[in-house]
């Protein structure tokens, strides 16, 4: 595809700014101490700047699913959805936190959002060879909201915001980000140029060198070091996993029980306000909007058996969460009785998909079909709502919220809301060390596939969880 045609087609892939606002006082909450009785995983799926839409979805979900407010849920997020995931992992789902979220989404300054949604500006910069990426400090209001820092405008760095926060992730949390040094495969010259040096395996979400490329690099180590400064050439073509999951302690202890060769992502432990800030930045740093975000504490990453050992990576960088719209596979395999709810994701235009594929190896629409298999309800937007909400540059947040409420209400009333296309994953049964809730009917958890293989049931709707 000609690069000029590409940039003319290029819309805002994903934008990531949350409005600034004062907020209500924080309310103390007590977290659940066991995951055995977890009934629900809610994933805030990235929609760029349109977080107000998810605020509307959440209004209806909170009414329909008592599990979300009853300390029986896991909160997850990707891309801009990471901001809500962090916030609710710290403050829980209760009247005070829901009110604070609503207030912020409605009353905040959306100036930066509108600038980032100006596709003509992005196209002009791309055509003239100018950078489109923002400085990470533009996320300050975003991070401050999630970390409960109301007085933040005088703070100069994101680290300053984190230092002024005392929150910790009290509730089970998972935020996903792509591993930049593993996925990076961009060529030189044209915006759509790819090196084609690597191959992605959707069975286990791993990346390896093409056989001929690996053989060449084995005999030309100096060239390898020049081409791949963030990687080490291993004893095999294997490079690493495509994803990292930012998880707090309960989720870390749960997911590390899955053998590394079966896990779809590395684990990164989240314990402090600074860790939460890193998780947000890792998941929102998609191409054209933010440069990859470098991991400041690699000792908290678990790739294999020992924390801090990064395999073939010299350092870890993150390139956003668009590569996994519904990061539920590993969690569901460990908690087979749990239901999975996605707030709906924004389909990326073809040109932007091709750009991401050229730069970071994978077709995110195909990955959405792979992760979508794990959903029990995914509140995917209609074409009309997508056109009205995503493409509008001046829509009031109240209207976005109203669209989100209506979409969720219709889905629950019809007991529908599923992805249109899905792809069955390679690992589809529970993990060996899964925690099985004995009170849940196994007929609602497992089924036999057409080739007579036992697998976990998905695409079930919310069933008995609905009030």
């Amino acid at each position: 595809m000609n690069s000029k045609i590409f940039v003319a087609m290029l819309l805002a892939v994903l934008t990531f700014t949350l409005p600034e606002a004062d907020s209500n006082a924080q309310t103390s909450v007590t977290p659940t101490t066991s995951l055995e009785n977890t009934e629900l995983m809610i994933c805030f799926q990235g929609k760029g700047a349109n977080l107000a839409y998810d605020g509307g979805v959440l209004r209806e979900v909170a009414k329909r699913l008592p599990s979300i407010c009853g300390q029986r849920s896991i909160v997850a997020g990707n891309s801009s959805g990471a901001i809500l995931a962090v916030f609710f992992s710290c403050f829980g789902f209760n009247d005070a936190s829901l009110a604070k979220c609503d207030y912020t989404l409605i009353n905040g300054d959306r100036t930066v959002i509108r600038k980032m949604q100006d596709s003509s500006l992005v196209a002009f910069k791309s055509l003239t060879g100018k950078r489109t990426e923002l400085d990470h400090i533009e996320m300050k209001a975003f991070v401050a909201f999630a970390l409960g820092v109301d007085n933040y405008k005088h703070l100069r760095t994101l680290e300053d915001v984190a230092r002024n926060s005392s929150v910790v992730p009290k509730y089970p949390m998972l935020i996903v980000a792509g591993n930049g040094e593993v996925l990076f495969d961009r060529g030189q010259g044209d915006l759509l140029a790819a090196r084609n040096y690597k191959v992605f395996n959707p069975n286990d979400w791993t990346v390896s060198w093409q056989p001929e490329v690996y053989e060449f690099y084995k005999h030309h180590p100096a060239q390898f070091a020049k081409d791949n400064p963030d990687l080490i050439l291993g004893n095999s073509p294997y490079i690493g996993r495509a994803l990292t999951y930012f998880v707090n302690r309960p989720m870390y202890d749960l997911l590390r029980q899955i053998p590394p060769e079966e896990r779809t992502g590395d684990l990164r432990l989240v314990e402090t306000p600074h860790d939460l800030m890193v998780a947000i930045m890792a998941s929102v740093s998609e191409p054209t909007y933010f440069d990859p975000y470098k991991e400041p504490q690699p000792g908290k990453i678990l790739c294999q058996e020992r924390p801090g050992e990064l395999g073939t990576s010299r350092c870890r960088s993150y390139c956003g969460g668009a590569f996994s719209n519904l990061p539920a596979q590993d969690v569901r395999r460990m908690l087979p009785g749990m239901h999975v709810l996605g707030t709906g994701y924004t389909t990326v235009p073809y040109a932007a998909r091709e750009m991401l594929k050229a730069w970071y190896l994978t077709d995110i629409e195909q990955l959405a079909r792979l992760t979508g298999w794990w959903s029990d309800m995914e509140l995917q937007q209609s074409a009309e709502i997508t056109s009205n909400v995503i493409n509008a540059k001046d829509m009031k947040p109240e209207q976005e919220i109203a669209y989100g409420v209506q979409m969720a209400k219709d889905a629950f009333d019809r007991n529908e809301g599923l992805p249109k296309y899905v792809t069955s994953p390679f690992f589809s049964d529970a993990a060996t060390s899964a925690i099985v809730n004995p009170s849940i009917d196994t007929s609602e958890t497992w089924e036999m596939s057409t080739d007579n293989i036992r697998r976990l049931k998905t695409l079930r709707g919310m069933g008995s969880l609905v009030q």
Side-chain angles (χ1 to χ4, degrees), residues 20 53 80 101 112 121 171 176 204 237 285 289 369 411 430 435 445:
E20 300 177 3
Y53 178 90
S80 58
C101 181
V112 177
L121 178 62
Y171 294 88
V176 63
D204 57 7
S285 291
Y289 289 94
R369 296 183 181 186
I435 301 173
T445 304

Side-chain angles (χ1 to χ4, degrees), residues 109-404:
D109 180 5
R110 294 160 62 94
T111 303
V112 177
I113 298 177
R114 289 170 178 158
K115 182 186 298 185
M116 292 300 295
Q117 285 183 318
D118 189 345
S119 57
S120 61
L121 178 62
V122 174
F124 173 77
K125 286 186 175 181
S126 299
L127 279 170
T128 56
K130 296 180 179 179
R131 285 174 50 82
T132 62
E133 290 79 7
L134 292 174
D135 190 289
H136 285 112
I137 193 59
E138 297 290 348
M139 296 294 295
K140 186 170 68 170
F142 225 144
V143 174
F145 161 72
L147 301 189
V149 179
D150 297 329
N151 185 19
Y152 66 88
K153 294 185 178 181
H154 67 288
L155 301 175
R156 301 184 64 182
T157 67
L158 297 179
E159 288 73 16
D160 288 340
V161 175
R163 279 191 286 269
N164 279 267
S165 173
S166 60
V167 300
V168 294
K170 297 178 180 179
Y171 294 88
M173 179 200 79
L174 183 150
I175 290 170
V176 63
N179 295 333
E181 80 283 0
V182 174
L183 289 167
F184 185 75
D185 198 40
R186 185 181 180 181
Q188 296 181 345
D190 194 279
L191 283 171
L192 299 180
R195 296 191 304 178
N196 294 316
Y197 285 2
K198 300 175 180 179
V199 59
F200 170 74
N201 183 350
N203 288 345
D204 57 7
W205 291 73
T206 61
V207 176
S208 301
W209 296 109
Q210 297 278 11
E212 64 276 13
V213 174
Y214 179 71
E215 289 300 318
F216 174 84
Y217 276 148
K218 279 203 307 184
H219 295 92
H220 300 83
Q223 187 63 47
F224 175 85
K226 179 181 178 181
D227 292 347
N228 308 280
D230 292 337
L231 293 174
I232 300 168
L233 192 66
N235 296 324
S236 73
Y238 175 79
I239 300 172
R241 300 204 173 275
L243 304 175
T244 290
Y245 297 129
F246 288 78
V247 288
N248 60 342
R249 176 60 69 177
M251 295 296 291
Y252 182 88
D253 292 340
L254 178 78
L255 296 181
R256 72 179 303 177
Q257 297 179 56
I258 300 178
E261 62 272 16
E262 295 184 18
R263 238 182 8 242
T264 58
D266 300 330
L267 303 180
R268 203 288 194 180
L269 183 60
V270 176
E271 300 174 295
T272 67
H274 186 269
D275 292 337
L276 291 166
M277 181 270 290
V278 173
I280 294 171
M281 297 310 306
S283 199
V284 303
S285 291
E286 260 94 5
T288 75
Y289 289 94
F290 295 98
D291 289 325
Y293 191 81
K294 290 187 177 181
E295 170 60 64
Q297 294 180 282
K300 291 193 172 186
I301 298 174
L302 181 71
C303 292
Q304 295 295 323
E305 299 296 339
R306 297 181 181 179
E309 295 181 353
L310 300 186
T312 66
S313 295
R314 292 184 183 277
C315 61
R316 173 58 48 86
S317 63
Y318 304 107
C319 53
F323 307 94
S324 181
N325 278 307
L326 199 71
Q329 176 170 314
D330 292 348
V331 184
R332 180 76 200 285
R333 293 190 67 219
M334 284 300 300
L335 300 172
M338 178 188 72
H339 281 68
V340 177
L341 170 68
T343 60
Y345 74 96
T346 302
T347 302
V348 176
Y350 174 77
R353 283 174 53 193
E354 289 298 299
M355 183 198 74
L356 287 170
K357 185 176 181 180
W359 291 17
Y360 288 108
L361 194 62
T362 55
D363 185 338
I364 60 174
E365 189 64 27
Q366 292 181 356
L367 297 184
R369 296 183 181 186
L370 192 60
T371 59
W373 188 86
W374 292 98
S375 65
D376 291 302
M377 179 176 279
E378 188 175 47
L379 303 175
Q380 194 64 19
Q381 301 151 347
S382 66
E384 178 185 3
I385 288 179
T386 298
S387 177
N388 289 339
V389 175
I390 303 302
N391 297 333
K393 297 183 178 64
D394 55 357
M395 180 176 288
K396 299 293 185 183
E398 293 90 342
Q399 183 60 55
E400 285 186 27
I401 288 175
Y403 275 126

